[in-house]
Amino acid sequence: MTRHVPALVVGGGISGLVCAYSLQKASIEVQLVEASPRPGGVINSISRDGFLLELGPQSFSGTGALRQLCTELGIADQLLEAPPRAPRYVLVDGKLQAAPMSPPAFFMSSLINGATKWALLRDIFGKTIPPEEDESVAAFVRRKFSAQLLDRLVGPFVSGVYAGDPERLSIRSSFPQLHEAEKAAGSIVRGMMRLAKAKKGPRERPTLQTFREGNETLVRALAGKLGPSLRTGLRVTEVSCQNDSSFGVRFGGQGQEESVSVQSLIFATPTDVTGKMLAQLDSSFESLMSPIEYAAVAVVSLGYRKNDVGHSLEGFGFLVPRSAGLRVLGTVWNSSLFPGRAPEGHALLTSFVGGATDPAAVKLSQQELADLVHREISPLLSIKSDPVFSSVTIWPRALAQYNLGHSDRLCAISRRLANFRGIKLVGNYLRGPAIGSCVEQALAVAEEVSGTQR
Ligand SMILES: Cc1cc2nc3c(=O)[nH]c(=O)nc-3n(C[C@H](O)[C@H](O)[C@H](O)COP(=O)(O)OP(=O)(O)OC[C@H]3O[C@@H](n4cnc5c(N)ncnc54)[C@H](O)[C@@H]3O)c2cc1C
């Protein structure tokens, strides 16, 4: 007889893990099925030769929900905060220059010309109306501010968050607060201030965080709480509708095959996988979900003897405007931000290559990628000798791209999904790619599902 499972979560990245944990906390019997042998998805921390490496995200922005989750899981005491004032650099005119981090610093900065500063004043005191149609991040910044701001600050920032192409990313989908601010107040600055005032609760000061033993601490703690409800090495392959409005789900791997009947089915898988599975219920899901692009990214961590690095490495790291002509998108100075990332006397630097503007980069071999990064960052940081350590991880589908038309596509998906009341979606293509956004969305969906199960 087919076993009945009240709630089944498919995919054990952070979105699926948090959703399943939250359902379990609400006393809903839940199972989580993850295809790979380990949970965590792109969150993966490993120790090698005395270096603590993050193969995916390097850190995360602390949010209220994340803090509360860590407290519940008993891992809040393992959180580490990056120095809040660590400067971030941008490569301009061949030199690493500090990026302005506050409005006064922006007006003082030599990175920004007078015309751009004047455009900011025009925004503060003037009024503009966003166009009806979806607008790219690049078009938005050029319309409101300047091509220079796009090249020197916004483009590199967009690389840092989405590994995306600002000419294709949609402003209303990828930075919804900016679009909403202009819509509500006719000004980005006034609108953002209004949104901040309207926010309830204490003001959050976003700080970059990780755990003493790496980001995977969060994954391990969630997996520990889920216990046998988390089942790894099992890939969901088939989904069908049953007469009683439940769903039949088939999964297997490692010589096991299993079919269950499910009341609430939550997909926490990337869009290509989710689209294919949902297409078994309604073929239009595949054509709606599979075209959502993902940027491919190579994460290259290099270890150096500190004495071989001329730069002080005081700060967060640097971002590279595309106009600089390098393939490195940016470099995080891990060992400057958090203790325990490199052995005594060594520095760990992690660079990102590829992204939506350079998809061919991830076709290079691991050695070529390590050599390329060493060659490009050495003159910027006055590095005098070869790395003593290297690690290269290639993510062919690293980050979902919230490109033009993304919000219409999500609306169309949600309209089709209304025909399948027990199915919900969570994941990094819906409400923002950051770990904090994935967590908040997973908690919200778990609450919705628990409401329907009571
Ligand atoms: C290189 C990189 C750097 C990043 N940097 C940051 C950062 O600095 N800060 C930050 O906040 N965020 C960062 N992010 C983004 C953030 O890490 C991700 O958006 C988030 O972790 C995604 O979680 P997820 O659970 O939605 O998806 P995923 O982690 O992709 O998890 C999906 C899971 O579904 C499983 N799966 C797939 N198919 C099946 C199937 N058929 N059956 C069962 N399971 C299946 C997969 O194995 C996987 O475990 C970064 C991401 C990358 C890749």
Side-chain angles (χ1 to χ4, degrees):
M1 218 179 79
T2 307
R3 195 161 56 91
H4 181 74
V5 177
L8 182 80
V9 179
V10 185
I14 192 67
S15 302
L17 286 166
V18 170
C19 190
Y21 162 73
S22 181
L23 286 168
Q24 187 192 58
K25 212 178 79 178
S27 307
I28 298 197
E29 195 190 323
V30 61
Q31 290 258 302
L32 192 165
V33 177
E34 161 57 41
S36 76
R38 54 166 285 281
V42 301
I43 299 177
N44 193 347
S45 321
I46 61 164
S47 291
R48 217 174 67 183
D49 300 343
F51 290 90
L52 176 53
L53 305 169
E54 296 291 354
L55 307 187
Q58 303 298 300
S59 56
F60 50 87
S61 205
T63 63
L66 260 171
R67 230 181 342 269
Q68 156 132 24
L69 181 64
C70 293
T71 306
E72 271 174 38
L73 295 169
I75 52 172
D77 59 339
Q78 296 179 50
L79 277 168
L80 296 176
E81 259 187 28
R85 293 191 205 295
R88 285 135 166 94
Y89 295 89
V90 192
L91 179 65
V92 173
D93 298 332
K95 287 197 299 269
L96 296 185
Q97 307 201 32
M101 306 277 283
S102 64
F106 184 89
F107 280 105
M108 300 298 288
S109 173
S110 59
L111 285 182
I112 309 297
N113 61 20
T116 307
K117 291 173 185 168
W118 178 241
L120 185 68
L121 287 174
R122 250 192 350 249
D123 173 75
I124 294 173
F125 297 107
K127 187 169 167 66
T128 52
I129 300 170
E132 278 293 313
E133 67 277 12
D134 207 356
E135 187 180 31
S136 72
V137 170
F140 166 82
V141 179
R142 283 193 291 260
R143 172 172 66 79
K144 287 289 300 173
F145 304 105
S146 72
Q148 189 199 47
L149 187 71
L150 174 65
D151 176 52
R152 292 188 169 182
L153 292 180
V154 178
F157 176 71
V158 161
S159 285
V161 179
Y162 286 93
D165 179 354
E167 300 291 347
R168 299 173 63 211
L169 281 173
S170 149
I171 188 78
R172 73 182 59 175
S173 299
S174 49
F175 298 101
Q177 312 87 323
L178 298 182
H179 176 70
E180 288 307 320
E182 187 184 14
K183 222 165 81 177
S187 149
I188 310 299
V189 174
R190 292 197 311 273
M192 291 296 283
M193 282 164 62
R194 210 189 269 183
L195 287 176
K197 260 196 208 148
K199 251 191 166 172
K200 295 196 179 80
R203 245 173 93 201
E204 275 181 15
R205 185 176 57 95
T207 51
L208 277 182
Q209 303 188 346
T210 185
F211 297 91
R212 211 170 298 131
E213 289 178 13
N215 294 331
E216 212 175 308
T217 298
L218 179 56
V219 170
R220 286 189 213 111
L222 287 163
K225 289 280 182 198
L226 285 169
S229 304
L230 164 64
R231 303 185 55 198
T232 53
L234 293 172
R235 186 175 293 277
V236 170
T237 49
E238 276 176 48
V239 181
S240 58
C241 281
Q242 295 179 330
N243 292 338
D244 59 351
S245 79
S246 65
F247 302 93
V249 180
R250 202 172 165 75
F251 48 86
Q254 303 172 331
Q256 293 181 58
E257 279 288 331
E258 208 171 314
S259 291
V260 289
S261 139
V262 175
Q263 189 182 337
S264 296
L265 178 57
I266 300 113
F267 286 102
T269 38
T271 53
D272 54 340
V273 175
T274 312
K276 275 205 182 73
M277 284 193 278
L278 286 177
Q280 298 171 30
L281 309 180
D282 172 345
S283 60
S284 60
F285 279 114
E286 187 158 11
S287 53
L288 283 169
M289 300 193 83
S290 299
I292 295 176
E293 283 178 42
Y294 281 66
V297 174
V299 179
V300 181
S301 295
L302 299 180
Y304 293 95
R305 273 183 295 268
K306 264 193 186 152
N307 287 342
D308 293 338
V309 182
H311 195 283
S312 69
L313 299 181
E314 276 166 23
F316 178 85
F318 64 90
L319 288 164
V320 184
R322 293 303 74 214
S323 62
L326 301 188
R327 294 186 89 169
V328 167
L329 297 169
T331 301
V332 175
W333 301 338
N334 309 80
S335 46
S336 304
L337 292 179
F338 303 114
R341 309 292 119 166
E344 189 59 36
H346 290 76
L348 179 67
L349 314 177
T350 298
S351 302
F352 302 89
V353 187
T357 55
D358 186 9
V362 296
K363 301 271 183 304
L364 297 172
S365 70
Q366 300 213 344
Q367 190 58 54
E368 285 169 326
L369 282 161
D371 292 346
L372 177 147
V373 168
H374 174 65
R375 202 168 53 241
E376 290 194 352
I377 69 170
S378 289
L380 306 176
L381 301 175
S382 308
I383 295 173
K384 296 188 276 291
S385 66
D386 288 344
V388 294
F389 171 90
S390 77
S391 154
V392 177
T393 306
I394 294 174
W395 298 100
R397 288 173 67 81
L399 285 149
Q401 299 296 292
Y402 291 38
N403 282 341
L404 291 169
H406 191 72
S407 54
D408 287 348
R409 194 176 282 285
L410 293 189
C411 285
I413 292 168
S414 123
R415 274 198 302 273
R416 310 286 327 168
L417 216 53
N419 298 326
F420 304 96
R421 282 194 44 237
I423 296 186
K424 302 277 177 232
L425 306 180
V426 294
N428 65 358
Y429 59 96
L430 291 160
R431 296 278 153 76
I435 290 174
S437 312
C438 292
V439 167
E440 277 169 29
Q441 198 234 346
L443 292 171
V445 166
E447 200 175 313
E448 249 183 81
V449 172
S450 359
T452 63
Q453 294 249 343
R454 281 198 190 104

